[in-house]
Amino acid sequence: MRWSNYFIPTLRETPADAEVVSHQLLLRAGCIRQLAAGVYSYLPLAWRVLTKIMNIIRQEMDRIGGQEFHLPALHPAEIWRESGRWEVMGENMFRLKDRRGADLCLGMTHEEVFTAIARNELRSYKQLPQVWYQIQTKFRDEPRPRSGVLRVREFIMKDAYTFDLDWEGLDKSYNDQREAYCRIFDRCGLQYIIVQASSGAMGGSESAEFMVLTDAGEDHIALCHQCGYAANTEKATSRLPEVRDGDGLPRPEPFPTPGVRTIKDLEEFPDGAPAERQIKTLAYVINGELTLVLLRGDHELNETKLADATGATDLRPGHPEEIKRALGAYPGSLGAVGVTGFRIIADHALKGRRNMVTGANRDEYHLRGVDVERDIPVSLWTDLRTVKTGEGCPQCDSGTLEVRKALEVGHIFKLGTKYSESMGATVLNEEGKEVPIVMGSYGIGVERIMASAIELYHDEDGIIWPMPIAPFQVILTPVNIGEKDQADAAERLYRQLTEAQIEVLFDDRDERAGVKFKDADLIGIPVRITVGPKRLKQGQVELTVRRTRETRVVALDEVLDAVGELIAAEMAFFQQVGSRT
Ligand code: ATP
Ligand code: MG
């Protein structure tokens, strides 16, 4: 490819609204342009990267027996009503009507469509297992599209579904996918961690996410460096030191707390209590029902855990006015002592606690001497709090947890028979009995692989593409294309390299050398061949590796071999950096 007629609209300045590095560099390197909030056009450079990623994914899916489909993005509402997710997906689903008034949506995921095919076509255990996948556009009306292509409203997903006769079959299909995912991320050059996760609205078990550690991610994961425990904080638990409460009071005792609104206010109040002796009372509306949620004062609620524990499809904090109407006090003075008529859900850390302080459901009053189990009619004890750095690892005795930000690039989980039962996808087993197909679901975000590679590999000058997914392997840069000997030598090298199947971007633009070097660094091509006047007089050129900045001088007739070696070395480097947990 010749740069002079290839479309790479690079930018000198960092666009003001781009916060994360991958967003900034994708824009500056002429890879993407925004069309609307969370909707991007992929320009030729980015599309070459995405194509390479998709090819790696394809090869690894095919290797475990995957069969590639291409399903519609436009779905009739009926199949989503059958699975129950027409409602569950809420505002995240793009919905529309056709000219006859029929409801349609744009696919956010494809369990329903694949299950509908399976139900109509699979009849016998003899046809199982099946491994089906596609690489296709998904639409999600995300509440906060952000960070360039990391969270968008239209994106490319590889989604795979497995269909087995029984749970042992599913175990094998799931493990095959897990191994294939490791190979995919290894081959793309990513460093990643596999963490336990919540399966959320999709339903299922053994949910595992493939995470890249980066501050650009929106997830938080808890890691134990001692034993390797790794979990999304939506799922992670921890070991807390034991607390001794003393005897407490025979019954809760009200006391005035003028001006106290928060846990912190009460800590600083003369008659107050430290946060770990307080009960935090939150009012949530869960599937339309006001519910009290209790945690220790110094603990934070994890909403995903609350949703998972209650099976909620619709969950939000209560509004102050509806809380006042129901409980007689505003947030800040809430408590659950003596409360009847509402569901009360409490975090495990409150179990057995005595001598606690909580709101009195009377503005400007609190209660002390509260014995949680004696005084509060808890209807569900469960794990609700978000773990923090420094807390004990739940899996080993000695480790402590570290919480880090991470970006989810892939997600695998066992669906079991959720969709096959709701949609009636059954086969006849060996005994001729009709049984629901046992399914698994597996997704990868294609753009997120591209963007996380940039988050991991860049410097102040630009992108450093991992060789396996680089848009071109080599950039060929004559210092001055106006000089005939440089132009001729570069043309000859371009022909040779291209014939040898090496992907070369030939920077044949009539630009100053400084501009070309800057652009080459910015767009991050792994190997640069520089054809300059001094070396050329000796029959030589320079080869520079973008990642290390190492430069070597080689004779013109050795360029092909030397470039081949550098490509192989860079490939090997990026395939070894992958890490698994
Ligand atoms: P997240 O938790 O980040 O919202 P998710 O759990 O909804 O993602 P899945 O439904 O499991 O994601 O989708 C499979 C994969 O698709 C994810 O692992 C991620 O890589 C990618 N993905 C999901 N949502 C988006 C999005 N809005 N933009 C880009 N990629 C996405
Ligand atoms: Mg997720």
Side-chain angles (χ1 to χ4, degrees), residues 266-287:
L266 192 57
E267 275 199 292
E268 287 161 3
F269 191 74
D271 265 351
E276 61 272 15
R277 306 209 62 81
Q278 299 185 38
I279 303 171
K280 181 186 278 185
T281 308
L282 306 169
Y284 266 78
V285 179
I286 302 178
N287 288 349

PDB file of all heavy atoms in Angstrom, residues 266-287:
ATOM      1  N   LEU A 266     -22.339  10.991  61.699  1.00  0.00           N
ATOM      2  CA  LEU A 266     -22.599  10.286  62.953  1.00  0.00           C
ATOM      3  C   LEU A 266     -21.287   9.845  63.616  1.00  0.00           C
ATOM      4  O   LEU A 266     -21.199   9.748  64.839  1.00  0.00           O
ATOM      5  CB  LEU A 266     -23.513   9.078  62.699  1.00  0.00           C
ATOM      6  CG  LEU A 266     -24.115   8.397  63.927  1.00  0.00           C
ATOM      7  CD1 LEU A 266     -24.910   9.371  64.786  1.00  0.00           C
ATOM      8  CD2 LEU A 266     -25.010   7.227  63.519  1.00  0.00           C
ATOM      9  N   GLU A 267     -20.268   9.603  62.796  1.00  0.00           N
ATOM     10  CA  GLU A 267     -18.945   9.266  63.345  1.00  0.00           C
ATOM     11  C   GLU A 267     -18.402  10.452  64.117  1.00  0.00           C
ATOM     12  O   GLU A 267     -17.761  10.296  65.149  1.00  0.00           O
ATOM     13  CB  GLU A 267     -17.966   8.956  62.204  1.00  0.00           C
ATOM     14  CG  GLU A 267     -18.019   7.535  61.731  1.00  0.00           C
ATOM     15  CD  GLU A 267     -16.751   7.173  60.953  1.00  0.00           C
ATOM     16  OE1 GLU A 267     -16.594   7.729  59.848  1.00  0.00           O
ATOM     17  OE2 GLU A 267     -15.956   6.361  61.437  1.00  0.00           O
ATOM     18  N   GLU A 268     -18.642  11.661  63.588  1.00  0.00           N
ATOM     19  CA  GLU A 268     -18.062  12.868  64.184  1.00  0.00           C
ATOM     20  C   GLU A 268     -18.944  13.465  65.281  1.00  0.00           C
ATOM     21  O   GLU A 268     -18.524  14.336  66.026  1.00  0.00           O
ATOM     22  CB  GLU A 268     -17.818  13.906  63.074  1.00  0.00           C
ATOM     23  CG  GLU A 268     -16.639  13.497  62.197  1.00  0.00           C
ATOM     24  CD  GLU A 268     -16.611  14.197  60.859  1.00  0.00           C
ATOM     25  OE1 GLU A 268     -17.486  15.069  60.622  1.00  0.00           O
ATOM     26  OE2 GLU A 268     -15.713  13.881  60.046  1.00  0.00           O
ATOM     27  N   PHE A 269     -20.161  12.976  65.398  1.00  0.00           N
ATOM     28  CA  PHE A 269     -21.120  13.484  66.381  1.00  0.00           C
ATOM     29  C   PHE A 269     -20.677  13.060  67.791  1.00  0.00           C
ATOM     30  O   PHE A 269     -20.203  11.940  67.984  1.00  0.00           O
ATOM     31  CB  PHE A 269     -22.498  12.887  66.041  1.00  0.00           C
ATOM     32  CG  PHE A 269     -23.628  13.493  66.789  1.00  0.00           C
ATOM     33  CD1 PHE A 269     -24.082  14.770  66.471  1.00  0.00           C
ATOM     34  CD2 PHE A 269     -24.277  12.785  67.798  1.00  0.00           C
ATOM     35  CE1 PHE A 269     -25.155  15.325  67.161  1.00  0.00           C
ATOM     36  CE2 PHE A 269     -25.346  13.332  68.482  1.00  0.00           C
ATOM     37  CZ  PHE A 269     -25.787  14.603  68.168  1.00  0.00           C
ATOM     38  N   PRO A 270     -20.805  13.982  68.788  1.00  0.00           N
ATOM     39  CA  PRO A 270     -20.321  13.651  70.130  1.00  0.00           C
ATOM     40  C   PRO A 270     -20.850  12.315  70.671  1.00  0.00           C
ATOM     41  O   PRO A 270     -20.100  11.524  71.229  1.00  0.00           O
ATOM     42  CB  PRO A 270     -20.835  14.814  70.984  1.00  0.00           C
ATOM     43  CG  PRO A 270     -21.102  15.931  70.038  1.00  0.00           C
ATOM     44  CD  PRO A 270     -21.358  15.349  68.694  1.00  0.00           C
ATOM     45  N   ASP A 271     -22.135  12.048  70.473  1.00  0.00           N
ATOM     46  CA  ASP A 271     -22.737  10.800  70.969  1.00  0.00           C
ATOM     47  C   ASP A 271     -22.712   9.694  69.919  1.00  0.00           C
ATOM     48  O   ASP A 271     -23.400   8.689  70.069  1.00  0.00           O
ATOM     49  CB  ASP A 271     -24.217  11.062  71.315  1.00  0.00           C
ATOM     50  CG  ASP A 271     -24.361  11.385  72.788  1.00  0.00           C
ATOM     51  OD1 ASP A 271     -23.358  11.229  73.511  1.00  0.00           O
ATOM     52  OD2 ASP A 271     -25.468  11.786  73.187  1.00  0.00           O
ATOM     53  N   GLY A 272     -21.950   9.883  68.861  1.00  0.00           N
ATOM     54  CA  GLY A 272     -22.023   8.993  67.691  1.00  0.00           C
ATOM     55  C   GLY A 272     -21.284   7.684  67.854  1.00  0.00           C
ATOM     56  O   GLY A 272     -21.052   7.226  68.984  1.00  0.00           O
ATOM     57  N   ALA A 273     -20.915   7.093  66.730  1.00  0.00           N
ATOM     58  CA  ALA A 273     -20.250   5.791  66.754  1.00  0.00           C
ATOM     59  C   ALA A 273     -19.387   5.662  65.512  1.00  0.00           C
ATOM     60  O   ALA A 273     -19.711   6.250  64.487  1.00  0.00           O
ATOM     61  CB  ALA A 273     -21.304   4.679  66.764  1.00  0.00           C
ATOM     62  N   PRO A 274     -18.293   4.892  65.604  1.00  0.00           N
ATOM     63  CA  PRO A 274     -17.481   4.659  64.406  1.00  0.00           C
ATOM     64  C   PRO A 274     -18.299   3.931  63.332  1.00  0.00           C
ATOM     65  O   PRO A 274     -19.264   3.234  63.662  1.00  0.00           O
ATOM     66  CB  PRO A 274     -16.327   3.779  64.895  1.00  0.00           C
ATOM     67  CG  PRO A 274     -16.769   3.233  66.203  1.00  0.00           C
ATOM     68  CD  PRO A 274     -17.767   4.195  66.782  1.00  0.00           C
ATOM     69  N   ALA A 275     -17.909   4.123  62.072  1.00  0.00           N
ATOM     70  CA  ALA A 275     -18.705   3.578  60.962  1.00  0.00           C
ATOM     71  C   ALA A 275     -18.940   2.078  61.106  1.00  0.00           C
ATOM     72  O   ALA A 275     -20.011   1.573  60.770  1.00  0.00           O
ATOM     73  CB  ALA A 275     -18.020   3.894  59.631  1.00  0.00           C
ATOM     74  N   GLU A 276     -17.944   1.350  61.617  1.00  0.00           N
ATOM     75  CA  GLU A 276     -18.134  -0.112  61.686  1.00  0.00           C
ATOM     76  C   GLU A 276     -19.109  -0.528  62.792  1.00  0.00           C
ATOM     77  O   GLU A 276     -19.474  -1.681  62.901  1.00  0.00           O
ATOM     78  CB  GLU A 276     -16.789  -0.850  61.787  1.00  0.00           C
ATOM     79  CG  GLU A 276     -15.937  -0.545  62.996  1.00  0.00           C
ATOM     80  CD  GLU A 276     -15.009   0.666  62.770  1.00  0.00           C
ATOM     81  OE1 GLU A 276     -15.226   1.427  61.790  1.00  0.00           O
ATOM     82  OE2 GLU A 276     -14.096   0.860  63.583  1.00  0.00           O
ATOM     83  N   ARG A 277     -19.553   0.454  63.612  1.00  0.00           N
ATOM     84  CA  ARG A 277     -20.600   0.165  64.596  1.00  0.00           C
ATOM     85  C   ARG A 277     -21.956   0.702  64.143  1.00  0.00           C
ATOM     86  O   ARG A 277     -22.919   0.670  64.889  1.00  0.00           O
ATOM     87  CB  ARG A 277     -20.269   0.766  65.973  1.00  0.00           C
ATOM     88  CG  ARG A 277     -18.928   0.386  66.554  1.00  0.00           C
ATOM     89  CD  ARG A 277     -18.993   0.393  68.071  1.00  0.00           C
ATOM     90  NE  ARG A 277     -19.947  -0.584  68.523  1.00  0.00           N
ATOM     91  CZ  ARG A 277     -19.692  -1.883  68.638  1.00  0.00           C
ATOM     92  NH1 ARG A 277     -18.489  -2.347  68.372  1.00  0.00           N
ATOM     93  NH2 ARG A 277     -20.623  -2.710  69.041  1.00  0.00           N
ATOM     94  N   GLN A 278     -22.008   1.204  62.939  1.00  0.00           N
ATOM     95  CA  GLN A 278     -23.279   1.734  62.429  1.00  0.00           C
ATOM     96  C   GLN A 278     -23.918   0.756  61.445  1.00  0.00           C
ATOM     97  O   GLN A 278     -23.223  -0.004  60.789  1.00  0.00           O
ATOM     98  CB  GLN A 278     -23.055   3.061  61.691  1.00  0.00           C
ATOM     99  CG  GLN A 278     -22.473   4.171  62.556  1.00  0.00           C
ATOM    100  CD  GLN A 278     -22.394   5.477  61.777  1.00  0.00           C
ATOM    101  OE1 GLN A 278     -23.275   5.795  60.986  1.00  0.00           O
ATOM    102  NE2 GLN A 278     -21.331   6.229  62.008  1.00  0.00           N
ATOM    103  N   ILE A 279     -25.238   0.832  61.356  1.00  0.00           N
ATOM    104  CA  ILE A 279     -25.939   0.078  60.315  1.00  0.00           C
ATOM    105  C   ILE A 279     -26.350   1.084  59.250  1.00  0.00           C
ATOM    106  O   ILE A 279     -27.017   2.075  59.547  1.00  0.00           O
ATOM    107  CB  ILE A 279     -27.204  -0.608  60.861  1.00  0.00           C
ATOM    108  CG1 ILE A 279     -26.845  -1.535  62.031  1.00  0.00           C
ATOM    109  CG2 ILE A 279     -27.917  -1.392  59.750  1.00  0.00           C
ATOM    110  CD1 ILE A 279     -28.067  -2.068  62.765  1.00  0.00           C
ATOM    111  N   LYS A 280     -25.916   0.817  58.019  1.00  0.00           N
ATOM    112  CA  LYS A 280     -26.295   1.682  56.898  1.00  0.00           C
ATOM    113  C   LYS A 280     -27.597   1.134  56.331  1.00  0.00           C
ATOM    114  O   LYS A 280     -27.682  -0.057  55.998  1.00  0.00           O
ATOM    115  CB  LYS A 280     -25.178   1.609  55.858  1.00  0.00           C
ATOM    116  CG  LYS A 280     -25.389   2.468  54.636  1.00  0.00           C
ATOM    117  CD  LYS A 280     -24.290   2.216  53.595  1.00  0.00           C
ATOM    118  CE  LYS A 280     -23.038   3.009  53.905  1.00  0.00           C
ATOM    119  NZ  LYS A 280     -22.007   2.870  52.846  1.00  0.00           N
ATOM    120  N   THR A 281     -28.628   1.975  56.267  1.00  0.00           N
ATOM    121  CA  THR A 281     -29.931   1.523  55.776  1.00  0.00           C
ATOM    122  C   THR A 281     -30.236   2.223  54.456  1.00  0.00           C
ATOM    123  O   THR A 281     -30.334   3.450  54.421  1.00  0.00           O
ATOM    124  CB  THR A 281     -31.037   1.850  56.792  1.00  0.00           C
ATOM    125  OG1 THR A 281     -30.647   1.334  58.060  1.00  0.00           O
ATOM    126  CG2 THR A 281     -32.370   1.243  56.375  1.00  0.00           C
ATOM    127  N   LEU A 282     -30.353   1.445  53.395  1.00  0.00           N
ATOM    128  CA  LEU A 282     -30.654   2.009  52.076  1.00  0.00           C
ATOM    129  C   LEU A 282     -32.044   1.550  51.656  1.00  0.00           C
ATOM    130  O   LEU A 282     -32.438   0.427  51.958  1.00  0.00           O
ATOM    131  CB  LEU A 282     -29.630   1.527  51.043  1.00  0.00           C
ATOM    132  CG  LEU A 282     -28.157   1.776  51.393  1.00  0.00           C
ATOM    133  CD1 LEU A 282     -27.244   1.016  50.441  1.00  0.00           C
ATOM    134  CD2 LEU A 282     -27.850   3.265  51.358  1.00  0.00           C
ATOM    135  N   ALA A 283     -32.770   2.435  51.010  1.00  0.00           N
ATOM    136  CA  ALA A 283     -34.088   2.040  50.505  1.00  0.00           C
ATOM    137  C   ALA A 283     -33.996   1.902  48.993  1.00  0.00           C
ATOM    138  O   ALA A 283     -33.628   2.857  48.310  1.00  0.00           O
ATOM    139  CB  ALA A 283     -35.129   3.083  50.895  1.00  0.00           C
ATOM    140  N   TYR A 284     -34.299   0.704  48.480  1.00  0.00           N
ATOM    141  CA  TYR A 284     -34.263   0.439  47.041  1.00  0.00           C
ATOM    142  C   TYR A 284     -35.641   0.031  46.563  1.00  0.00           C
ATOM    143  O   TYR A 284     -36.395  -0.591  47.311  1.00  0.00           O
ATOM    144  CB  TYR A 284     -33.256  -0.681  46.732  1.00  0.00           C
ATOM    145  CG  TYR A 284     -31.905  -0.132  46.374  1.00  0.00           C
ATOM    146  CD1 TYR A 284     -31.038   0.327  47.363  1.00  0.00           C
ATOM    147  CD2 TYR A 284     -31.504  -0.037  45.036  1.00  0.00           C
ATOM    148  CE1 TYR A 284     -29.808   0.870  47.030  1.00  0.00           C
ATOM    149  CE2 TYR A 284     -30.276   0.500  44.699  1.00  0.00           C
ATOM    150  CZ  TYR A 284     -29.429   0.954  45.698  1.00  0.00           C
ATOM    151  OH  TYR A 284     -28.230   1.497  45.356  1.00  0.00           O
ATOM    152  N   VAL A 285     -35.932   0.372  45.333  1.00  0.00           N
ATOM    153  CA  VAL A 285     -37.152  -0.137  44.724  1.00  0.00           C
ATOM    154  C   VAL A 285     -36.732  -1.270  43.794  1.00  0.00           C
ATOM    155  O   VAL A 285     -36.020  -1.062  42.811  1.00  0.00           O
ATOM    156  CB  VAL A 285     -37.902   0.972  43.965  1.00  0.00           C
ATOM    157  CG1 VAL A 285     -39.159   0.407  43.317  1.00  0.00           C
ATOM    158  CG2 VAL A 285     -38.248   2.115  44.925  1.00  0.00           C
ATOM    159  N   ILE A 286     -37.124  -2.499  44.190  1.00  0.00           N
ATOM    160  CA  ILE A 286     -36.706  -3.691  43.458  1.00  0.00           C
ATOM    161  C   ILE A 286     -37.937  -4.316  42.814  1.00  0.00           C
ATOM    162  O   ILE A 286     -38.864  -4.713  43.523  1.00  0.00           O
ATOM    163  CB  ILE A 286     -36.017  -4.702  44.399  1.00  0.00           C
ATOM    164  CG1 ILE A 286     -34.802  -4.033  45.062  1.00  0.00           C
ATOM    165  CG2 ILE A 286     -35.626  -5.964  43.655  1.00  0.00           C
ATOM    166  CD1 ILE A 286     -34.063  -4.896  46.053  1.00  0.00           C
ATOM    167  N   ASN A 287     -37.941  -4.370  41.502  1.00  0.00           N
ATOM    168  CA  ASN A 287     -39.130  -4.834  40.764  1.00  0.00           C
ATOM    169  C   ASN A 287     -40.399  -4.177  41.310  1.00  0.00           C
ATOM    170  O   ASN A 287     -41.415  -4.830  41.549  1.00  0.00           O
ATOM    171  CB  ASN A 287     -39.263  -6.359  40.800  1.00  0.00           C
ATOM    172  CG  ASN A 287     -38.204  -7.028  39.934  1.00  0.00           C
ATOM    173  OD1 ASN A 287     -37.511  -6.362  39.155  1.00  0.00           O
ATOM    174  ND2 ASN A 287     -38.075  -8.326  40.064  1.00  0.00           N
TER     175      ASN A 287
END
